[in-house]
Amino acid sequence: MADIFDVIADSTRREILQVLLTRDQHTEDGTSVSQIVGELTVSQPTVSKHLKVLREAGLVTVREEGQHRYYRVDAQPLEQVDDWLMPFFVDEAELAAEATTSIFAPLPEPASKLAESLGRTAAVVQTALKRLGA
């Protein structure tokens, strides 16, 4: 399997993921190759080639219906990217300083991991909202 960073490094694949993400918000049936081609300025063979790479990386799922293929985004593999990016958005020194001056007792390990995960999710949502201008 290709490295997730190599997969999303290609601008056409990122555009395909964006098209699928947008369409996934409006339909549960998935998006056909012809619909993707209609929204991008690339040929059908090029879209199909990139969809194969995205499928092999686990970033899209495909549903076959006769001769048609319908694609949807599967964002789970992007958690690896999120884990790598998060330190760039969260000031670890600031978090550590806050933790040492906190009036609360340290959390047990499972609760600490859950809190860290929720914090990362909140940071991603905050970044996405900023990008959307919300």
Side-chain angles (χ1 to χ4, degrees):
M1 183 163 94
D3 179 61
I4 192 72
F5 293 94
D6 290 335
V7 173
I8 63 172
D10 185 276
S11 62
T12 302
R13 288 193 281 267
R14 289 193 311 271
E15 288 178 16
I16 291 170
L17 287 172
Q18 188 64 51
V19 166
L20 292 174
L21 180 63
T22 301
R23 293 184 63 88
D24 281 358
Q25 294 170 353
H26 297 85
T27 181
E28 293 183 17
D29 295 335
T31 303
S32 69
V33 175
S34 61
Q35 290 170 317
I36 297 168
V37 170
E39 294 197 31
L40 302 177
T41 57
V42 292
S43 68
Q44 184 275 325
T46 300
V47 169
S48 292
K49 177 187 83 166
H50 287 295
L51 282 168
K52 179 182 179 191
V53 173
L54 291 169
R55 190 175 60 249
E56 289 173 351
L59 285 167
V60 297
T61 59
V62 62
R63 177 178 59 85
E64 298 181 16
E65 192 174 292
Q67 292 186 354
H68 299 284
R69 308 288 181 268
Y70 296 92
Y71 292 86
R72 293 182 54 86
V73 171
D74 182 355
Q76 192 278 328
L78 292 173
E79 288 179 11
Q80 180 181 357
V81 177
D82 180 47
D83 290 343
W84 186 84
L85 284 172
M86 197 47 55
F88 294 96
F89 293 104
V90 177
D91 184 356
E92 297 293 335
E94 184 178 312
L95 289 175
E98 287 177 9
T100 60
T101 60
S102 175
I103 61 170
F104 300 104
L107 293 172
E109 184 67 22
S112 178
K113 286 186 177 187
L114 176 62
E116 181 180 339
S117 177
L118 289 173
R120 287 181 181 190
T121 302
V124 170
V125 169
Q126 184 179 21
T127 301
L129 290 173
K130 284 180 184 176
R131 288 183 182 161
L132 292 172

